[in-house]
Amino acid sequence: VELNNAINFIEEKDNFLLTTHINPDGDGLGAILGLVGLLKRLNKKYSIIFHDPPQEKLSFMERINEVRVYDESMTRDGLYDDAIIIDVPHLDRIGDVAKLLKKGAHILNIDHHVSNERYGTSNLIEPSASSSAEIVGSIFERMGVELDHASAQAIYVGLSVDTGRFRFNNTTPEVFRLAEKLIKAGVMPDIVSDKLYYNKNMETTIALGKMLSTIELHNGGRVATGYLDNEFLNSDVGKKVDTEGFVNHPLAINGVEVAFLIQEPVKGQIRVSLRSKTDFDVNKLANVFGGGGHPRASGCRIDGSVQEAKEKLLEATKSRLDPL
Ligand code: 5GP
Ligand code: MN
């Protein structure tokens, strides 16, 4: 039903504002650029506008040049009646792009976060989908639209990133069935993988070494923490670092169920990446601090120092760990 409503929304309207969350990642961007192929095929008009530029490593994606970053002057060109918002659980996560929505604008909300607030006029929310890109794939399929190369590649990027390279427990038979179609449409897994994961600058590798040296185990080895402080992140080296994936190193230690990467990009403002490899629900844990995400991958912000944030996280974790 939701899928049909979403298709009706796309078919009925002619000009869309397309956006995703702040700090767009491979799934948000991949789902948008994937959907663009479908909109082109249907001869629809659209504008892709994000609050932030997408991650640098995503610059290889076809159609990336169609993405514009919000600026104040855009409001003068008129506001949008219709928007498709993807991979965004709460509307405030689209940032300033909200200023481009006309009052009472129609919104199609496409997402796979359990916590999605269903803020759309139409909502296509599939928590069982691995990624928002997978949902976009299912729209192509239901509408019988052939996958062009750029869309296939974009959807593949979303799948790969949100399944942790086809590794997490959201890597379902459906994911592989879709991946088969994407590869048949011309996606080269080795090339996409190199661009996404084997394309790091030296600064990032130096930062990884630093972070690894901070790893500590807690709760009898069931919880691991690692951090990068403000002094480092603000240094010439630190500014060039992309820490995506760092949290997987403490998580990979045997016996560890939950890992936190604690970063202080701004003095006194902590950003935490939370990961789990058991039933321990880090979405619920992130909720305690006003954050969220998925049961096994979430994020939150905490005011204070690295040390204070670590103590708060460990305190909140202790009571939630299942007895062994
Ligand atoms: P990461 O640790 O990779 O930055 O984020 C992991 C996941 O947590 C993201 O896919 C996103 O769903 C969620 N997330 C990250 N930061 C925040 C945040 O500040 N608030 C909320 N609600 N979710 C977040
Ligand atoms: Mn996603």
Side-chain angles (χ1 to χ4, degrees):
V1 178
E2 288 196 356
L3 185 52
N4 290 333
N5 288 344
I7 290 168
N8 288 338
F9 187 101
I10 293 168
E11 285 180 334
E12 279 167 10
K13 322 233 183 271
D14 285 314
N15 184 24
F16 302 95
L17 170 63
L18 304 179
T19 197
T20 183
H21 49 81
I22 55 175
N23 300 320
D25 60 9
D27 186 34
L29 178 65
I32 296 275
L33 294 184
L35 185 65
V36 159
L38 186 124
L39 297 178
K40 282 183 191 289
R41 183 61 65 90
L42 300 174
N43 288 314
K44 303 287 182 178
K45 285 185 290 187
Y46 60 87
S47 306
I48 310 173
I49 304 176
F50 296 166
H51 179 88
D52 297 306
Q55 294 168 322
E56 176 59 30
K57 68 176 180 189
L58 301 174
S59 57
F60 76 95
M61 286 169 71
E62 289 172 55
R63 304 193 181 120
I64 189 77
N65 295 332
E66 297 191 31
V67 175
R68 291 182 289 153
V69 175
Y70 175 86
D71 79 75
E72 294 283 317
S73 69
M74 288 175 171
T75 54
R76 278 186 253 127
D77 303 335
L79 306 182
Y80 291 82
D81 288 305
D82 301 301
I84 304 177
I85 299 179
I86 309 190
D87 206 43
V88 177
H90 320 285
L91 200 48
D92 59 6
R93 297 251 313 149
I94 70 172
D96 288 340
V97 177
K99 297 178 188 165
L100 295 172
L101 292 173
K102 206 171 270 181
K103 207 172 148 59
H106 303 107
I107 295 174
L108 171 56
N109 168 13
I110 300 177
D111 191 18
H112 68 121
H113 290 88
V114 255
S115 56
N116 190 288
E117 287 179 343
R118 307 186 71 88
Y119 51 81
T121 341
S122 293
N123 299 287
L124 175 54
I125 312 303
E126 292 185 9
S128 63
S130 62
S131 52
S132 293
E134 182 181 343
I135 305 174
V136 169
S138 65
I139 299 175
F140 270 88
E141 182 158 320
R142 179 69 71 91
M143 293 183 79
V145 175
E146 197 189 327
L147 282 159
D148 59 285
H149 182 268
S151 292
Q153 190 196 56
I155 292 170
Y156 190 90
V157 166
L159 279 189
S160 176
V161 168
D162 268 23
T163 59
R165 318 184 195 182
F166 304 97
R167 199 160 48 79
F168 300 156
N169 68 340
N170 59 3
T171 311
T172 58
E174 288 71 36
V175 166
F176 283 117
R177 273 196 283 272
L178 176 56
E180 178 187 6
K181 289 183 199 139
L182 301 175
I183 291 169
K184 283 182 173 159
V187 174
M188 310 278 263
D190 56 336
I191 291 175
V192 175
S193 167
D194 285 356
K195 297 284 188 194
L196 290 175
Y197 310 118
Y198 291 82
N199 195 17
K200 300 198 189 300
N201 58 29
M202 186 58 189
E203 289 83 356
T204 293
T205 303
I206 293 169
L208 176 60
K210 241 184 132 51
M211 189 284 295
L212 293 175
S213 70
T214 71
I215 292 177
E216 293 172 353
L217 297 178
H218 305 270
N219 299 90
R222 301 172 73 188
V223 182
T225 59
Y227 68 85
L228 289 170
D229 61 24
N230 181 252
E231 193 185 8
F232 175 72
L233 290 173
N234 260 323
S235 67
D236 288 340
V237 171
K239 281 178 190 153
K240 298 191 180 124
V241 171
D242 171 11
T243 58
E244 191 159 291
F246 277 25
V247 67
N248 294 322
H249 293 272
L251 187 68
I253 300 166
N254 58 20
V256 169
E257 298 173 39
V258 192
F260 305 123
L261 174 66
I262 304 168
Q263 300 187 70
E264 188 181 19
V266 180
K267 194 92 200 147
Q269 292 181 26
I270 303 294
R271 246 201 62 72
V272 189
S273 289
L274 305 86
R275 296 292 186 276
S276 159
K277 63 180 201 273
T278 62
D279 288 339
F280 186 95
D281 189 331
V282 290
N283 176 43
K284 287 185 183 147
L285 184 61
N287 290 164
V288 172
F289 301 98
H294 307 281
R296 293 189 177 199
S298 287
C300 67
R301 281 152 210 282
I302 298 176
D303 288 338
S305 66
V306 167
Q307 197 55 35
E308 285 162 353
K310 187 163 78 183
E311 281 162 20
K312 286 181 190 170
L313 285 160
L314 291 172
E315 186 57 38
T317 305
K318 207 165 44 180
S319 57
R320 287 159 195 275
L321 279 172
D322 282 333
L324 284 176

